[in-house]
Structure formats: structure tokens, C-alpha cells
Amino acid sequence: MERTTYAVLGMTCEHCRAAVRDEVGAVPGVASVAVDLTSGTVTVEGEGVSAAAVASAVEEAGYEVAP
């Protein structure tokens, strides 16, 4: 299982955490999602997960993956 951590801009509350977790969790291949508000990171575990798909899901939730 692959694990990748993304820096996400703009997450500040539990609503942010839930929105990002739900959107990223729907990406094909994702087995688990952990959102850390303190560090502003999202850690994704799964097989064959597309980084572009994760970034799109984060944007759909209303946030942005840091460059």
C-alpha cells in the first residue's frame, strides 16, 4: 500500500476536515484518508492513487493542494 502526504491550503476547522476526507476518500484506489488540521496535511493510503485525482478532489472540497 502506498502512502502520500499532501500539503493543503485553507483548512481550519472540523468542517474542512470532513469535506476533504469525504472528497478524497471517493478517489479510486484510496483506502484511507487522514486530515491533520494543525500541519495542514492530508495523508492518503491506497493502491494506484492518482495525485491529479487527489488534487481535483481537494479542489472540489473547496481547498488547494500546495505547490
Side-chain angles (χ1 to χ4, degrees):
M1 186 156 311
E2 302 165 3
R3 176 183 291 157
T4 307
T5 300
Y6 302 87
V8 176
L9 305 174
M11 298 186 302
T12 59
C13 65
E14 289 302 317
H15 175 268
C16 302
R17 180 193 315 263
V20 171
R21 184 188 61 233
D22 292 348
E23 289 292 339
V24 174
V27 171
V30 171
S32 70
V33 179
V35 179
D36 185 329
L37 295 176
T38 304
S39 65
T41 59
V42 176
T43 301
V44 178
E45 290 187 343
E47 293 294 332
V49 178
S50 161
V54 170
S56 290
V58 168
E59 289 176 13
E60 185 66 29
Y63 306 95
E64 180 182 356
V65 173

